[in-house]
Amino acid sequence: MKTCYLPAYAIADLIKTRQISAVEVLEETLERVRDVDGRVGQVDASQAQSKEDLSSVHAFTTLADEHARGQAEKIDQMVKAGESPGPLAGVPYTAKDIFTVKGIPATAGSKILSNYVAPYTATAVERMETAGAVMIGKVNLDEFTYGSSSESSALKPVPRNPWDTSRVTGGSSGGSAAAVAAGEGAISLGTDTGGSIRQPAAFCGTVGLKPTYGRVSRYGLIAFGSSLDCPGPLARNVTDAALVLQAIAGEDPRDNTAAVVPVPDYLAELEKDIRGLRIGLSEEFFRVTYFDADTGELKENPIDGEIKDAVLSVAGFLAQLGADIVIDVPLPHSKYGIPTYFVISRVEASSNLLRYDGVKYGFRTDQPFEDLRELYRKTRGAAFGVEPKLRMLMGIYLSAAQFDKGYYQRALKARALIRNDFETIFDPKGNYRLDTLLTPTTPTTAFPIGGVYGDSVLMQYSDQLTVTTNHAGIPGLSIPVGFDKKGLPIGAQFLGPDYSEGLLLRVGRAFEKVTANEEWRNRRPPLLPAND
Amino acid sequence: MTDKISADVFKRLVDLASLELPEGESEYLRKELNNQMVSVEVLESIPIDAETGTAAHGIPYTEMNSPVPREDITRQDPHREDILKQAPELEDGYIVVPDISHEELD
């Protein structure tokens, strides 16, 4: 396994300079998958049971090895012919099973799409192919991306954290984060609606970038919350994330919300120093709200001390590099983040779920039915899990005229207030004039499998530090910054103004460079070979 | 603990969502929805007045970032056969569905 843990840019370079072929890299990666992944996720399969199950990653829902071989061979032919195969030439990657890829199943982690083979390919995947990357398969996720642990997938076994396989990967891009952490592909394409790239990236010790809303086309992305969803990369280092964003970003006539803002050269700025950059810290992000199911109340605690210390340590390193750290930056409407998300994401999801009716594609009930309504009810009742059901029921409750209590209107106003908080701190003429805000990514490190699942409110509050980014539409980059005493990864995130991904990547890269020799950078998930 | 969503309201929601729920699921779902309402109710402190603006997207869409609508020209979708192949039951290019329920109006 010489290449499984190499950066994508190094793999592409080895292939382009003919030191190794794309097919060889692919075979090494597929061997890694065979060694660590265990059973591929399937509908109606059992949860993890055997000793092997409990110590495997289970990232995959579809292993597309034939598809990948075809792509890898094409790359090798291009290299032989002296043609340019692209900046990600031969780099193996996975795609969250929420992206459509023509001829390959797209299940969305749900029984209702378990038999769906996509007739078209998502823009982000098409662009990865143009860049030369090789898609080795689709990876598991929370059902329809609803969740923060990947436990709600109908395709079992659910993914397990490579750092401790008794713990969750995070979600909803859990399969993506786990695959990258386990060397099953250098990169994964994920999506972030409330934190679903950044939170699993933090739990699995990888880099995860949520671009500005509209920076990457949503064409071919099975929709959760259409005003919130953002496709983006997970990788093991910042440079790889920059390379992927470079490949996938940009306008797309097939997505009316894909911004026509030109895509800058993210690599050109990446290595520049960060002297004089203003980096903010906010106390709102060092307090966490949690739901006490016994009393039915929301309570608040200071964040875990290890996580706070890790973030302050990041600030310390960045100060050494000449950045100005600005403390006590106010974001007074942060507390509305999760309540607003309960409203907006559910209303949008309930609308987006109406198309799954057993008529045009996907699962259709095999129970007898008299008429069309019964077909809908039996199909949807049988093939949706509890998370989609919760979302559609809440979405309907909050938006149907007969139940309307003004919450949707209030949520849209809260969204404007949250957005305004960020505009204020990033305003170049304002009091704070921040270039970026540094925060913890998650309230805790990875929790045990089964430890939170079933309590939908407690689970949703896992996203409280990431969700306001989605409401505001701004970009956020989560990077690994160390480990806690249990040996679990800790992530910190950099948030910035609209379309400031280049700056976030530059700051992330600066932190990477200054901590390159820290002991924790050499750690590997225990289930990998020691010399990976 | 709120019980904003009563059993009757819940039943209506299930009907509107076109769901037939398996045995035992209703109580769990209704309990979770009511727990979620504890969080939603935090929004009650947001005033509904004309001055507080709303945002349907975080990012404002202006001339700077918005695509121009395409030309109004009909184009044949190249995926027609692939799309129709997805249907659970197909006949002569039509998707077969059961009787569409209807009511006699007085």
Side-chain angles (χ1 to χ4, degrees):
Chain A
M1 314 283 161
K2 301 185 318 263
T3 61
C4 288
Y5 234 71
L6 286 184
Y9 63 79
I11 293 172
D13 199 56
L14 287 170
I15 289 171
K16 282 190 272 198
T17 55
R18 306 182 74 166
Q19 294 177 62
I20 195 168
S21 71
V23 168
E24 277 173 276
V25 170
L26 172 63
E27 294 303 338
E28 281 185 1
T29 308
L30 293 175
E31 195 183 337
R32 166 58 53 86
V33 173
R34 281 192 296 273
D35 280 347
V36 307
D37 212 65
R39 285 195 280 141
V40 168
Q42 285 183 307
V43 165
D44 296 332
S46 62
Q47 304 262 23
Q49 293 170 330
S50 66
K51 199 154 164 260
E52 198 205 321
D53 280 350
L54 295 170
S55 57
S56 299
V57 180
H58 307 291
F60 282 81
T61 54
T62 297
L63 190 60
D65 46 337
E66 287 310 310
H67 170 92
R69 273 193 195 94
Q71 289 192 311
E73 280 161 10
K74 254 203 290 217
I75 296 296
D76 286 336
Q77 278 157 21
M78 288 178 79
V79 170
K80 260 208 193 88
E83 291 161 22
S84 171
L88 291 169
V91 172
Y93 81 100
T94 54
K96 184 177 185 179
D97 207 5
I98 202 72
F99 289 96
T100 54
V101 182
K102 184 168 171 140
I104 291 181
T107 67
S110 183
K111 184 168 178 161
I112 212 157
L113 286 178
S114 52
N115 60 345
Y116 177 73
V117 174
Y120 69 113
T121 299
T123 298
V125 174
E126 261 179 15
R127 290 178 180 177
M128 287 290 279
E129 193 172 323
T130 305
V134 171
M135 195 193 80
I136 62 173
K138 310 296 284 303
V139 287
N140 216 341
L141 66 163
D142 279 297
E143 185 174 3
F144 280 99
T145 81
Y146 304 153
S148 310
S149 67
S150 304
E151 292 172 285
S152 68
S153 179
L155 279 68
K156 310 276 193 233
V158 303
R160 303 177 87 86
N161 194 315
W163 295 94
D164 176 342
T165 53
S166 72
R167 291 180 183 264
V168 300
T169 54
S172 57
S173 310
S176 289
V180 167
E184 302 175 272
I187 285 161
S188 192
L189 283 184
T191 65
D192 193 307
T193 302
S196 288
I197 285 176
R198 293 164 287 153
Q199 186 253 29
F203 277 12
C204 292
T206 74
V207 171
L209 173 64
K210 175 213 160 301
T212 308
Y213 177 84
R215 179 75 287 185
V216 181
S217 169
R218 290 178 302 111
Y219 179 77
L221 183 63
I222 296 170
F224 166 7
S226 307
S227 77
L228 297 159
D229 292 342
C230 293
L234 292 94
R236 290 189 295 270
N237 65 80
V238 171
T239 307
D240 285 354
L243 273 169
V244 175
L245 185 65
Q246 194 75 60
I248 65 177
E251 62 184 273
D252 184 3
R254 297 175 296 187
D255 174 4
N256 223 33
T257 59
V260 297
V261 172
V263 181
D265 182 345
Y266 294 117
L267 296 162
E269 301 290 307
L270 196 60
E271 304 293 332
K272 290 202 170 145
D273 70 63
I274 61 165
R275 223 174 311 274
L277 286 188
R278 291 173 62 79
I279 301 180
L281 291 168
S282 171
E283 284 305 310
E284 266 90 6
F285 283 82
F286 291 123
R287 289 192 294 268
V288 296
T289 302
Y290 67 99
F291 180 68
D292 183 338
D294 293 329
T295 62
E297 288 171 331
L298 292 171
K299 298 189 173 150
E300 203 180 74
N301 268 347
I303 199 170
D304 185 303
E306 286 187 272
I307 293 181
K308 182 170 184 176
D309 288 344
V311 173
L312 294 179
S313 168
V314 174
F317 276 109
L318 300 176
Q320 277 175 40
L321 294 173
D324 290 330
I325 307 299
V326 181
I327 61 169
D328 290 329
V329 173
L331 285 145
H333 299 98
S334 300
K335 64 176 183 275
Y336 296 122
I338 294 292
T340 304
Y341 191 70
F342 268 124
V343 178
I344 295 178
S345 73
R346 272 52 174 180
V347 169
E348 292 184 5
S350 66
S351 174
N352 282 327
L353 287 172
L354 288 172
R355 69 194 70 183
Y356 304 106
D357 55 10
V359 171
K360 304 174 290 293
Y361 48 77
F363 178 85
R364 181 186 277 197
T365 182
D366 51 9
Q367 299 300 302
F369 42 80
E370 295 271 304
D371 61 25
L372 191 61
R373 293 210 134 242
E374 220 187 326
L375 169 67
Y376 293 159
R377 287 195 181 104
K378 289 193 147 77
T379 294
R380 290 159 64 87
F384 278 132
V386 291
E387 296 304 322
K389 284 171 180 162
L390 282 172
R391 273 155 190 72
M392 67 180 80
L393 292 166
M394 182 57 93
I396 289 168
Y397 179 68
L398 293 167
S399 60
Q402 65 263 52
F403 304 120
D404 183 26
K405 307 264 190 306
Y407 287 121
Y408 186 65
Q409 239 202 91
R410 286 193 166 96
L412 292 185
K413 287 179 185 286
R415 187 171 195 174
L417 291 168
I418 289 167
R419 166 77 186 181
N420 191 252
D421 279 359
F422 284 110
E423 282 182 355
T424 302
I425 66 173
F426 294 134
D427 180 359
K429 297 201 191 79
N431 289 336
Y432 302 94
R433 303 182 309 287
L434 297 185
D435 294 291
T436 179
L437 183 74
L438 165 63
T439 86
T441 307
T442 56
T444 66
T445 53
F447 42 84
I449 289 175
V452 176
Y453 187 65
D455 184 334
S456 65
V457 184
L458 189 58
M459 184 67 84
Q460 189 65 83
Y461 272 91
S462 316
D463 291 342
Q464 61 187 279
L465 304 180
T466 47
V467 76
T468 50
T469 313
N470 298 85
H471 287 314
I474 59 173
L477 172 72
S478 181
I479 57 168
V481 298
F483 290 79
D484 72 4
K485 290 198 187 68
K486 298 192 281 288
L488 299 170
I490 298 173
Q493 61 176 357
F494 295 100
L495 310 182
D498 302 345
Y499 311 113
S500 66
E501 290 86 352
L503 185 135
L504 303 183
L505 291 161
R506 183 171 136 213
V507 178
R509 180 72 189 119
F511 178 75
E512 252 180 16
K513 283 189 284 199
V514 78
T515 56
N517 295 322
E518 296 286 307
E519 167 277 328
W520 60 267
R521 289 259 179 225
N522 295 325
R523 298 194 203 179
R524 295 284 180 267
L527 47 62
L528 297 191
N531 59 351
D532 203 18
Chain B
M1 178 91 75
T2 65
D3 202 32
K4 280 233 146 90
I5 299 173
S6 67
D8 280 339
V9 167
F10 179 80
K11 232 170 121 209
R12 184 79 186 108
L13 295 176
V14 170
D15 190 51
L16 287 169
S18 291
L19 291 171
E20 188 178 287
L21 294 180
E23 193 71 47
E25 213 169 72
S26 301
E27 268 320 292
Y28 169 73
L29 292 174
R30 190 169 81 86
K31 179 189 72 148
E32 289 301 312
L33 291 176
N34 278 311
N35 284 347
Q36 290 175 16
M37 285 309 293
V38 173
S39 179
V40 171
E41 281 164 1
V42 169
L43 292 174
E44 258 159 32
S45 53
I46 305 264
I48 308 187
D49 58 29
E51 277 113 56
T52 318
T54 57
H57 286 105
I59 300 279
Y61 273 86
T62 64
E63 233 179 83
M64 189 263 294
N65 56 0
S66 302
V68 171
R70 64 174 174 83
E71 280 187 60
D72 189 10
I73 300 171
T74 312
R75 293 180 301 206
Q76 184 73 293
D77 190 284
H79 304 113
R80 186 178 176 274
E81 289 310 316
D82 292 325
I83 291 168
L84 285 177
K85 260 200 319 232
Q86 300 296 321
E89 216 184 314
L90 207 57
E91 195 181 288
D92 296 334
Y94 288 90
I95 297 174
V96 178
V97 292
D99 186 38
I100 294 165
S101 48
H102 49 272
E103 278 171 33
E104 289 290 337
L105 297 173
D106 295 322

